[in-house]
Amino acid sequence: MNTDLQTFDVTVIGAGPAGLAAALEADRQGAKTLLIEREARLGGILKQCIHDGFGIVRYGEKLSGPEYAERFIERLPDSGVTVWTLSFVSGIERVGTDSFLTVITREGMKRVRTRSLVLATGCRERTSRQIGVHGRHCAGVFTAGTAQYYTNILGKLPTKRCVILGSGDIGLIMARRLTIEGAEVVGVYEAKPTPSGLTRNVSQCLWDFDIPLHTGKTVSRVFGDARLTAVEIASVDGCMCPIAGTEEIIPCDALILSVGLIPENELAQSIGVPLDPKTKGAIVDERNETLLQGVFACGNALHVNDLVDYVSESGETAGKAAAGSDRPERELLPVECDQSLLYVVPQRLDKAAAESERVFFFRSSADMDNALLTVSRGETRLLSKRYAHLRPPEMERLPLALSSEQLAGEEPLLFHLEEATHA
Amino acid sequence: MSCLSKINQRLNVRFGGRVTAREHDGCLVLEGALESWDDIVEAGLMAINRRRYDGLVNDIALIGGEIPPMRLPKLQDDVLDGATPDVLVIGGGIVGCAVARECARYDMSVLLVDKEHDIAMQTTSRNDGMVHPGVDLIPGQIKRHYNMRGNRMYDAVCKELDVPFRRSGQYICFHGTKLALAAFFGQFYYRLIGPYGRYLGKRAFAKREPNMSKTISAALYFPSAGVVSPYGLAIAYAENAVDNGVRLSLDTAVLGMTVKDGAIQSVQTNRGTICPKVVVNAAGVFAEEIARMAQDRFFSIHPRKGTNTILDHKAAERMMTIVSSFGTASPKKRHTKGGGLVKTIDDNTLVGPDAVETYMKEDFTTNAQNIADVFEKQSRTDPALHMRDAITYFSGVRAATYEEDFVIRKGKWTRNIVHAAGIQSPGLTAAPAIAVDVSRMAAELLGQTREVKQNPAFHPIRKGIVRANELTSEQRDALIRRDPDYGEIVCRCEQISKGEVKAALHRSVPCDTLDGVKRRVRPGMGRCQGGFCGPLVLQIIAAETGRPLEQIDKSAPGGEVLYGTIKEVRP
Amino acid sequence: MRDTIKLTQPKEIVCIVCPNGCRVLCEPSDGGVRYSGYQCKRGLAYAEAELIRPMRTLTTSVKTAFADAPVVSVRTAGEIEKSKLREVAGELGKLTLSKRVKIGDVVAQNVCGTGVDVVCTSDRLVQSL
């Protein structure tokens, strides 16, 4: 056994867009950096996202997922980052603020000691069982990401005629993708009254190909023996339950689900990183450090993003902070939001941090026109900002300069949204 | 008044003359027609008289409902044509597999057939995996006899077959002081008649299972309860049977039999006609159909569906063992299990099952209402139960007779058949003991034609697939150095390596489907339900079997996952 | 000759140029069109193009002769007419790459007479990582 412990300043788990950015940034800061990826190739989910639209914010270009990933991967050979692929972190132990990793590789078991640990483990898709799809458990029920893997990586079609449940971005992208490849997409069905994906994706993926979008409807049952043969669609009531009498049977060979993503935080939880129930990711400060000193989180493991550009930014933030060697004691101030927001990240501010500009990411909890965002501490209003449109699927990035005077005291920061009344 | 007229009188009062009972050579036969399946079942249950009759045959027709025929494999060939095994075992569930393996202890040639594409595809794999202590069984029942014997055999059998088994013990919980008192005296009852049980007061119980409901006032603890993977054990039995010379034929349905002079001459299947000397009926929900073909039908099966839900490992940290509450079974329905919370051998919490009468023997659909009802019922035991922790749910159908007991015996009219029928809960617990007796009966029947000796070459030991994540780091490192595939993780949720997946494809009972691999080494059993590992496992199966990706099935023929290369597939 | 815009009814166009997804309202006005709701000039240009001749980039994949990467992703190097998306996708379906191409390599020239090339968007065929 490779019992000899290998030591790194920064270890990044996951080589998707967040992990690649984190590792390269940590290396740029001079840290001895290890990047661990469980798949054979780097790039994470970007490998299968062959559609364009990546990098508009960062590069001002519309790149495909593999092209975007390559912008980072091509920097690796000239960096000092050590890369392990086909390597799986099976356990983490904490000793003081250091982390000891057990890594399963094709060469054998490896042990790593690292001063900082960056969790860039991405997210996973909600499954048919988690949203209560019932009927017979036959072949032909796929999450959109799995269907995307089959289509774009293996080049094999998982369906000839399908129904898509859920209007998340991957579902919309797959509706277009499958149509281009000759499959028939009967329609996209969304239980909520409004689509879950970006407006531009509804437009270019559905309208461009005349694929109907049905809101307020769900799949209440699936039929089939070995392979799916039909689904039952029903309208839903206010509690998202199917309404009896509204059922309609649609013959098809597959049900493709795009019903949400969940940050992957099994490793984080195994070492006791506290999570935010709203994001289902770690609670972090503005440098993406979790409440465990020396453990950082970024990308979709932190909160599910809709733009890869922000994922890379989040990775760089974590990578930069993880590379920093001497850390003063943090003085954490809570950042909270009320029910008008789905969440705000980071959930803590370090009063002792040197930078005055902090970057926040938030989502509104409902569609809002002419919305007013306020950030306040107690009676003191730190910011008021107007937004023409806010939609839950579209995350907002908010840089905010805060002076140390503004952060004095223990009062939490509160984010609040309200729709401006039409005068 | 004769017993029969009393039964007819009762049926008359309830069903207004639409159902009649008659006696046929020691059996009670019900005839007539009713609109509701529940009524048909009720008629059967109210006509039962075990002391008087060998069995109840319920031939009441269902008006306005069509009982679906048995699903048959599409395969048609003649590979079995002319086979003359000493023993033909029909049904590859836990009982059939165990019987086949026990038969291999004798110098008999054995053929095990199942109509499904893999072992243990129906009732056996749709089970809660509990090895019952036998708490709710009544002395005198055949199933109680086999449960007690089977339970005692588990440690040895699972050791021989290298199947994980944990004697976790079971708590039956009581709410309120009156019931607590009953429980206290209950422990002496159980010490007298078995299984051994121990009374625990409120605090003693809360110390052992601190996350359960605070309203639990007492519990009876039965240490002989345990958990096992039901399909894991069935597959292990089948593999050991094959290792010892048993021939296994899957995708093989029995379609008919030729019976002459009180003996089965031949058995017709979709893969040819077999001429066995002895037939073992272990056909589960279809045991009645097999008995009918054998002209030995003296019992009826009324299928009873149950749904179980599996929770994430995280939720399973709330409990250590098996916990259920007394009184959760509906008092109106007899023989319905109250269900409970079972910490499975794989450390998931299983919630369920419920019990719903159905005439559809292969109705494995689930529905939201049944699961919601089960959760509501079980939240009496653990108030924190929540559907959001569910990673999957599944339904199974129990093969209950109207006597609500097992039928373990030689044929009533036909000489060369042994029935292992009516196997419902606790069939998994009882299977090892049933197999010993049924194989002996088969040997006795065969012994009427020739001398049957022990098989000196029988080897009871089976080595399972290595479970790499249960090894120490040093052991695992050594394993990876022998075969690097054990160092490549395919399933991240359950941490299953490529080496384990490949091993599952090359066993003595091989598999070639995603679900087959899943049942053997668990990729896809975790919270992502195969979203990540499914495509990887599919590629490994294709590479190992040399078949194109689009020919690999999820579970059974006709259930292919993919349709072909992009831009070449046309709707 | 410049295409003329014929608009009789107001129309809302969702700009797909950037993630803002501006909803540009196009209303007939004095024989021309009045645009509102866009946050930058790209939104205005996009809406104008949508009314005259909608253009799109096609992203898809093509088959290869290599077992380690049975397909590789491609896109049109520029925009093509929206109405030609399916035709171009179908044409690319006839292609099987026998060379290990890298990002930016042209895999089809002037596809379907659009004047636009199709380029590879992945290094899957050439990289080991």
Side-chain angles (χ1 to χ4, degrees):
Chain A
M1 171 165 180
N2 293 331
T3 36
D4 35 317
L5 195 60
Q6 308 189 49
T7 306
F8 292 89
D9 296 328
V10 176
T11 300
V12 181
I13 304 178
L20 285 167
L24 285 165
E25 182 59 26
D27 173 73
R28 206 171 68 87
Q29 300 288 332
K32 187 185 174 195
T33 305
L34 169 66
L35 176 60
I36 302 178
E37 167 57 44
R38 72 187 167 84
E39 289 193 62
R41 288 163 187 268
L42 305 178
I45 208 71
L46 287 177
K47 295 193 296 295
Q48 65 187 59
C49 297
I50 66 165
H51 53 281
D52 69 349
F54 298 91
I56 298 168
V57 178
R58 192 179 181 95
Y59 299 113
E61 289 179 65
K62 287 206 278 183
L63 302 172
S64 70
E67 287 173 304
Y68 184 93
E70 192 52 32
R71 298 268 167 120
F72 292 81
I73 296 169
E74 67 188 10
R75 287 163 56 197
L76 281 172
D78 296 330
S79 76
V81 178
T82 305
V83 179
W84 292 355
T85 54
L86 284 178
S87 300
F88 184 90
V89 177
S90 66
I92 306 174
E93 283 165 63
R94 297 267 297 164
V95 178
T97 60
D98 284 2
S99 300
F100 287 77
L101 315 184
T102 306
V103 190
I104 304 170
T105 78
R106 288 184 64 91
E107 293 84 53
M109 305 295 284
K110 293 182 183 171
R111 291 272 290 162
V112 172
R113 176 186 186 144
T114 187
R115 191 165 46 78
S116 295
L117 179 65
V118 180
L119 300 169
T121 44
C123 58
R124 64 171 187 271
E125 299 177 277
R126 286 178 83 192
T127 68
S128 64
R129 308 297 164 82
Q130 284 169 311
I131 58 157
V133 170
H134 287 281
R136 184 117 181 174
H137 299 162
C138 42
V141 180
F142 304 96
T143 55
T146 305
Q148 191 178 44
Y149 181 96
Y150 283 131
T151 311
N152 294 347
I153 302 291
L154 297 185
K156 299 287 178 184
L157 267 191
T159 176
K160 295 180 192 175
R161 177 183 157 91
C162 68
V163 157
I164 297 183
L165 176 61
S167 55
D169 285 310
I170 323 169
L172 301 175
I173 299 281
M174 281 312 290
R176 174 177 65 180
R177 183 79 191 104
L178 292 167
T179 305
I180 286 174
E181 292 305 341
E184 183 190 352
V185 178
V186 182
V188 175
Y189 294 81
E190 169 61 59
K192 284 181 283 194
T194 54
S196 308
L198 298 174
T199 310
R200 58 192 289 267
N201 281 338
V202 175
S203 172
Q204 64 181 339
C205 297
L206 302 189
W207 304 158
D208 275 7
F209 293 88
D210 301 319
I211 300 166
L213 170 67
H214 306 272
T215 53
K217 289 189 175 193
T218 193
V219 169
S220 43
R221 252 195 307 174
V222 301
F223 302 93
D225 189 353
R227 175 86 193 195
L228 188 140
T229 54
V231 299
E232 181 188 83
I233 301 287
S235 299
V236 297
D237 59 20
C239 318
M240 298 288 151
C241 294
I243 302 169
T246 64
E247 299 90 352
E248 172 193 359
I249 307 283
I250 298 180
C252 55
D253 61 32
L255 169 64
I256 292 174
L257 298 156
S258 177
V259 288
L261 301 168
I262 304 163
E264 187 87 272
N265 274 301
E266 310 317 316
L267 282 173
Q269 283 182 293
S270 75
I271 49 171
V273 171
L275 302 186
D276 178 351
K278 291 177 179 167
T279 56
K280 298 185 174 64
I283 296 173
V284 292
D285 65 15
E286 65 270 52
R287 304 180 318 153
N288 285 349
E289 186 166 9
T290 69
L291 298 187
L292 286 197
Q293 201 187 328
V295 179
F296 298 78
C298 56
N300 280 354
L302 180 55
H303 63 123
V304 175
N305 289 252
D306 31 70
L307 289 183
V308 72
D309 311 67
Y310 294 153
V311 168
S312 300
E313 179 185 348
S314 149
E316 281 165 350
T317 303
K320 184 178 176 193
S325 50
D326 38 282
R327 275 186 215 106
E329 195 65 27
R330 287 186 288 174
E331 289 177 64
L332 295 179
L333 192 67
V335 178
E336 293 169 358
C337 62
D338 62 16
Q339 292 188 343
S340 59
L341 280 79
L342 281 182
Y343 65 76
V344 59
V345 171
Q347 300 89 340
R348 297 286 188 275
L349 286 187
D350 182 6
K351 289 200 275 184
E355 304 88 349
S356 73
E357 186 181 272
R358 271 98 171 170
V359 178
F360 294 90
F361 296 95
F362 71 89
R363 291 176 192 273
S364 67
S365 56
D367 278 25
M368 287 179 142
D369 287 333
N370 198 17
L372 180 70
L373 172 75
T374 57
V375 182
S376 49
R377 297 189 68 208
E379 300 298 306
T380 319
R381 185 167 287 193
L382 303 176
L383 173 88
S384 301
K385 187 176 176 186
R386 282 196 186 278
Y387 289 87
H389 304 287
L390 286 178
R391 294 185 59 230
E394 292 168 12
M395 193 179 75
E396 293 295 330
R397 179 182 185 275
L398 175 73
L400 184 57
L402 294 166
S403 65
S404 50
E405 295 80 63
Q406 284 176 307
L407 295 177
E410 300 304 312
E411 194 96 47
L413 258 77
L414 180 71
F415 278 62
H416 169 71
L417 276 171
E418 56 191 36
E419 216 151 356
T421 45
H422 296 283
Chain B
M1 204 196 290
S2 80
C3 176
L4 185 64
S5 13
K6 272 189 206 156
I7 290 171
N8 267 314
Q9 196 179 39
R10 278 208 303 273
L11 289 170
N12 205 10
V13 169
R14 174 67 182 82
F15 299 107
R18 295 194 297 159
V19 173
T20 55
R22 69 178 170 84
E23 191 177 333
H24 167 69
D25 195 12
C27 293
L28 190 67
V29 181
L30 300 186
E31 283 159 340
L34 292 170
E35 284 88 2
S36 140
W37 180 256
D38 284 344
D39 286 349
I40 293 174
V41 173
E42 189 188 336
L45 291 173
M46 68 192 275
I48 283 296
N49 184 330
R50 291 196 71 177
R51 242 170 286 161
R52 187 72 185 236
Y53 301 105
D54 283 345
L56 181 132
V57 174
N58 190 341
D59 279 339
I60 304 171
L62 178 64
I63 302 171
E66 203 171 324
I67 297 179
M70 184 167 89
R71 286 162 53 234
L72 294 173
K74 291 194 180 74
L75 192 64
Q76 290 283 343
D77 62 23
D78 55 4
V79 294
L80 297 178
D81 218 21
T84 55
D86 290 330
V87 182
L88 170 68
V89 181
I90 302 170
I94 182 70
V95 172
C97 292
V99 166
R101 186 255 194 174
E102 293 303 317
C103 281
R105 290 182 190 269
Y106 300 91
D107 68 337
M108 307 191 288
S109 61
V110 183
L111 172 62
L112 170 63
V113 298
D114 193 281
K115 76 183 182 73
E116 299 296 324
H117 190 65
D118 197 358
I119 288 298
M121 286 298 276
Q122 297 208 340
T123 313
T124 296
S125 62
R126 300 163 175 281
N127 181 294
D128 62 8
M130 198 177 150
V131 176
H132 289 274
V135 178
D136 53 352
L137 304 175
I138 303 158
Q141 282 178 325
I142 296 166
K143 62 183 177 185
R144 185 175 195 276
H145 166 80
Y146 283 105
N147 185 88
M148 296 317 203
R149 265 175 66 194
N151 184 302
R152 286 194 292 274
M153 293 170 70
Y154 253 82
D155 301 275
V157 163
C158 290
K159 190 159 183 254
E160 282 180 352
L161 298 177
D162 193 12
V163 174
F165 166 61
R166 187 170 67 232
R167 234 177 241 289
S168 55
Q170 173 188 13
Y171 297 97
I172 293 178
C173 301
F174 298 83
H175 301 253
T177 42
K178 262 189 214 158
L179 285 177
L181 196 67
F184 181 76
F185 290 106
Q187 69 177 326
F188 302 112
Y189 168 80
Y190 282 112
R191 281 179 199 177
L192 205 62
I193 66 150
Y196 175 82
R198 194 160 70 240
Y199 174 86
L200 292 173
K202 185 183 174 82
R203 278 165 65 190
F205 171 73
K207 213 167 154 187
R208 287 161 167 237
E209 289 285 359
N211 296 316
M212 297 296 112
S213 168
K214 299 293 168 238
T215 68
I216 293 169
S217 54
L220 281 175
Y221 175 63
F222 295 95
S224 61
V227 286
V228 72
S229 160
Y231 42 86
L233 181 60
I235 291 166
Y237 261 125
E239 286 183 354
N240 188 239
V242 171
D243 293 343
N244 282 294
V246 169
R247 181 177 180 190
L248 169 67
S249 182
L250 294 166
D251 297 305
T252 305
V254 170
L255 306 172
M257 293 184 193
T258 307
V259 182
K260 221 172 113 187
D261 304 328
I264 299 162
Q265 306 286 313
S266 66
V267 175
Q268 292 87 47
T269 76
N270 56 318
R271 311 195 69 180
T273 298
I274 307 161
C275 300
K277 299 197 180 62
V278 178
V279 171
V280 173
N281 176 10
V285 287
F286 295 105
E288 184 179 356
E289 280 72 4
I290 297 298
R292 185 200 308 267
M293 292 175 198
Q295 298 179 11
D296 203 51
R297 189 169 69 105
F298 57 91
F299 57 87
S300 282
I301 302 287
H302 62 105
R304 195 160 53 220
K305 183 172 151 178
T307 303
N308 286 302
T309 304
I310 301 274
L311 308 185
D312 195 300
H313 291 310
K314 272 181 264 171
E317 287 163 11
R318 292 185 54 77
M319 59 181 291
M320 332 285 160
T321 55
I322 305 166
V323 186
S324 55
S325 281
F326 178 80
T328 39
S330 156
K332 272 184 288 180
K333 289 182 193 157
R334 286 196 292 164
H335 312 292
T336 60
K337 284 252 179 272
L341 306 176
V342 179
K343 183 149 185 174
T344 67
I345 192 72
D346 299 307
D347 284 338
N348 294 98
T349 296
L350 179 147
V351 187
D354 59 350
V356 181
E357 295 292 340
T358 174
Y359 54 84
M360 288 184 278
K361 296 190 168 179
E362 294 174 283
D363 174 14
F364 302 132
T365 61
T366 55
N367 75 69
Q369 191 57 48
N370 286 8
I371 292 176
D373 291 347
V374 168
F375 269 70
E376 197 192 320
K377 204 162 76 174
Q378 298 306 334
S379 62
R380 262 190 84 196
T381 308
D382 178 4
L385 272 188
H386 201 284
M387 251 323 261
R388 73 172 156 256
D389 294 321
I391 54 174
T392 190
Y393 30 81
F394 57 89
S395 292
V397 182
R398 307 168 181 93
T401 62
Y402 286 94
E403 290 80 9
E404 298 292 348
D405 205 355
F406 298 166
V407 177
I408 311 285
R409 55 168 286 179
K410 295 173 189 167
K412 181 171 164 60
W413 298 294
T414 302
R415 302 198 282 286
N416 58 344
I417 189 165
V418 182
H419 299 285
I423 312 292
Q424 51 162 312
S425 176
L428 175 64
T429 316
I434 292 173
V436 169
D437 284 11
V438 169
S439 60
R440 198 194 60 238
M441 290 180 213
E444 283 165 8
L445 290 179
L446 186 66
Q448 292 167 4
T449 58
R450 70 157 168 91
E451 192 192 356
V452 179
K453 287 183 290 201
Q454 296 290 311
N455 170 10
F458 179 77
H459 186 59
I461 306 298
R462 163 204 180 250
K463 194 80 204 87
I465 299 168
V466 63
R467 290 175 290 275
N469 61 359
E470 291 175 14
L471 301 177
T472 64
S473 262
E474 289 73 18
Q475 290 169 326
R476 180 153 205 174
D477 190 64
L479 175 66
I480 295 169
R481 278 160 201 283
R482 281 198 302 277
D483 184 349
D485 282 344
Y486 285 95
E488 187 177 329
I489 298 297
V490 167
C491 163
R492 65 160 94 161
C493 302
E494 300 289 317
Q495 298 196 8
I496 309 300
S497 68
K498 185 178 182 181
E500 288 153 87
V501 173
K502 281 170 73 174
L505 301 170
H506 301 291
R507 302 285 299 178
S508 53
V509 177
C511 63
D512 61 358
T513 62
L514 282 183
D515 285 356
V517 172
K518 177 174 165 180
R519 283 144 42 91
R520 283 162 177 80
V521 288
R522 294 183 56 75
M525 289 278 192
R527 58 185 67 90
C528 91
Q529 287 290 297
F532 289 114
C533 63
L536 301 178
V537 174
L538 202 76
Q539 289 174 78
I540 297 170
I541 297 174
E544 294 293 307
T545 59
R547 280 155 50 197
L549 285 166
E550 48 268 44
Q551 280 178 24
I552 311 299
D553 295 308
K554 175 181 181 283
S555 186
E560 66 276 9
V561 178
L562 299 170
Y563 283 124
T565 305
I566 54 163
K567 297 190 170 77
E568 287 174 3
V569 176
R570 286 290 160 259
Chain C
M1 200 185 90
R2 196 178 185 278
D3 293 289
T4 49
I5 304 172
K6 296 184 202 79
L7 189 70
T8 50
Q9 297 248 316
K11 190 175 176 186
E12 190 183 77
I13 289 170
V14 177
C15 174
I16 61 167
V17 178
C18 90
N20 284 338
C22 289
R23 282 168 276 193
V24 184
L25 183 64
C26 316
E27 293 164 297
S29 148
D30 304 331
V33 182
R34 193 174 65 231
Y35 301 91
S36 57
Y38 54 90
Q39 291 177 39
C40 74
K41 60 181 191 298
R42 289 182 299 181
L44 174 62
Y46 177 80
E48 277 180 337
E50 277 301 277
L51 293 181
I52 302 163
R53 204 158 58 112
M55 302 292 281
R56 295 289 183 271
T57 301
L58 173 71
T59 58
T60 181
S61 49
V62 296
K63 286 169 281 175
T64 80
F66 309 102
D68 59 321
V71 288
V72 69
S73 60
V74 299
R75 69 179 157 93
T76 51
E79 293 191 320
I80 59 171
E81 276 183 58
K82 189 172 104 175
S83 57
K84 289 213 157 185
L85 285 173
R86 282 175 202 253
E87 186 193 340
V88 173
E91 188 62 25
L92 293 174
K94 298 175 190 161
L95 211 61
T96 300
L97 301 182
S98 50
K99 254 175 59 185
R100 287 197 176 262
V101 291
K102 59 180 191 307
I103 286 180
D105 286 357
V106 174
V107 301
Q109 283 180 326
N110 182 18
V111 64
C112 297
T114 54
V116 174
D117 294 344
V118 174
V119 294
C120 174
T121 60
S122 162
D123 276 352
R124 201 181 166 189
L125 285 168
V126 292
Q127 101 199 140
S128 54
L129 283 179

